[in-house]
Amino acid sequence: MTDTALSAMPAAANIPAAPASAASLTAKTRRRRALAYLQALPMALVFLVFFVVPLALTVIVSFWAYNEYEIIPAFTVRNYLDVFEGCLDTADVCTTVRTYLSTLKFCVLTWICTLLIGFTVAYFVAFHVRSRTVQMALFLLCTIPFWTSNVIRMISWIPLLGRNGLVNDTLMGMGIIRTPIEGLLYSDFSVVLAFVHLNTVFMIVPIFNSMARIDRSLIEAAHDCGATGWQTLWNVVVPLAKPGIAIGSIFVVTLVMGDFVTVGVMGGQQIASVGKVIQVQMSALQLPAAAANAVVLLGAVMLMIVAMTRLIDLRKEL
């Protein structure tokens, strides 16, 4: 037997090992995938029990009939017709549209204020505070208001903004005004102020996380190329902070659109919002009507979220 034939024999003997190795890799991949699904199972169960099931029940109840005494499990679309009652009449704006416009007004004003404050605070902490310890201390300071309930934080504004509150007394004592300002409390201003107070932190944290990942060499390169501070901010920082802005905006929009406690307390039960309408209907045990309004509200919020997510791929960022 020649040397060439002898050298070829081990190579031929190793040929069947390749399929065995591929099968082993496939088995390992399947085990890892099964383990990943097993690890995600608890969270999936929580998501199913506390989100999918209640949402499905809400949709089902929204198609049930009801009267002054009972809820009738019979299919009807009357609840949705009542929600949009009068909206086809072009002579006047229907109640639902006016309510959604009022809620959207609060949403836009709160979003603008929280974005300006949140972006400024996040920029300062990310680019001007070098110590991680100081950054953590500042974030802790931002979360201190969450150690108390939302209602207590809202009530704390009443002694300040009331007709005989601290703000009016101070302005009158300084001679700036002669009569108390009526619009400080139980008005659109007080509602927006409370919303900004409650939700600004939800804008700060996502924007800071995006800014913390910005390569500082990009900032230095912009300065080396002669860019001013505003040009660097607008052309470098803002585009790279878009994921945080989008995520923070989603948090703020979803919280404001469904809130009814803030509108009730700070608006003196006189200002309409979608969440307030749903709360009143639930208090009157008009659960199918409240469920229909909740489904419509969910659809409106989802449309707003879809519009925001078109700006950035949040799945990649998360």
Side-chain angles (χ1 to χ4, degrees):
M1 184 176 295
T2 62
D3 294 339
T4 304
L6 289 174
S7 61
M9 290 178 62
N14 291 333
I15 291 177
S21 178
S24 177
L25 291 176
T26 303
K28 289 181 179 180
T29 302
R30 290 177 179 175
R31 285 196 299 268
R32 291 177 181 175
R33 187 174 299 175
L35 182 60
Y37 282 117
L38 186 62
Q39 292 174 337
L41 182 60
M43 182 57 68
L45 291 176
V46 172
F47 181 79
L48 177 66
V49 173
F50 294 102
F51 180 77
V52 176
V53 173
L55 182 59
L57 292 176
T58 301
V59 174
I60 293 172
V61 173
S62 68
F63 289 100
W64 285 2
Y66 71 98
N67 53 35
E68 293 82 357
Y69 310 103
E70 61 180 345
I71 298 175
I72 305 170
F75 180 83
T76 180
V77 296
R78 184 62 196 174
N79 299 320
Y80 289 94
L81 295 178
D82 291 339
V83 171
F84 297 102
E85 183 178 4
C87 292
L88 298 180
D89 186 5
T90 58
D92 192 12
V93 180
C94 66
T95 303
T96 299
V97 173
R98 289 200 302 268
T99 304
Y100 270 89
L101 289 177
S102 175
T103 306
L104 188 62
K105 175 185 65 178
F106 293 136
C107 187
V108 172
L109 292 176
T110 303
W111 175 74
I112 293 174
C113 295
T114 54
L115 178 60
L116 293 176
I117 298 173
F119 189 91
T120 303
V121 173
Y123 183 86
F124 172 78
V125 176
F127 292 101
H128 294 280
V129 179
R130 302 298 181 182
S131 173
R132 288 288 183 182
T133 304
V134 177
Q135 288 181 348
M136 293 300 295
L138 291 176
F139 272 113
L140 181 63
L141 184 64
C142 292
T143 59
I144 285 178
F146 286 85
W147 296 359
T148 59
S149 68
N150 289 357
V151 177
I152 294 177
R153 282 183 282 164
M154 285 183 287
I155 293 176
S156 65
W157 285 104
I158 295 178
L160 296 176
L161 303 178
R163 178 180 175 83
N164 298 317
L166 181 62
V167 174
N168 276 321
D169 287 347
T170 301
L171 294 177
M172 292 177 65
M174 296 173 63
I176 298 177
I177 59 175
R178 294 185 178 181
T179 58
I181 301 176
E182 300 289 346
L184 292 180
L185 188 62
Y186 303 143
S187 62
D188 293 351
F189 169 78
S190 60
V191 173
V192 174
L193 179 64
F195 274 139
V196 173
H197 177 206
L198 297 176
N199 299 314
T200 299
V201 69
F202 296 108
M203 188 70 79
I204 295 175
V205 175
I207 295 178
F208 171 79
N209 288 335
S210 294
M211 289 184 177
R213 285 186 269 177
I214 296 176
D215 190 353
R216 297 305 186 267
S217 62
L218 297 176
I219 308 296
E220 296 176 359
H223 288 305
D224 293 340
C225 292
T228 63
W230 285 106
Q231 289 175 331
T232 303
L233 177 67
W234 184 254
N235 296 308
V236 178
V237 178
V238 171
L240 295 177
K242 276 186 178 180
I245 295 174
I247 295 173
S249 300
I250 290 174
F251 285 155
V252 172
V253 167
T254 53
L255 290 172
V256 173
M257 286 293 289
D259 190 290
F260 64 90
V261 177
T262 304
V263 176
V265 174
M266 301 304 295
Q269 309 297 335
Q270 302 173 9
I271 299 177
S273 70
V274 181
K276 188 64 179 175
V277 171
I278 296 174
Q279 188 263 335
V280 170
Q281 290 175 333
M282 293 185 65
S283 300
L285 298 181
Q286 299 174 354
L287 300 184
N293 272 289
V295 172
V296 174
L297 174 61
L298 177 62
V301 173
M302 291 300 297
L303 288 176
M304 298 175 67
I305 293 176
V306 169
M308 293 179 188
T309 53
R310 291 182 66 89
L311 301 176
I312 189 67
D313 187 359
L314 294 181
R315 291 179 298 179
K316 179 193 300 184
E317 300 301 330
L318 293 175

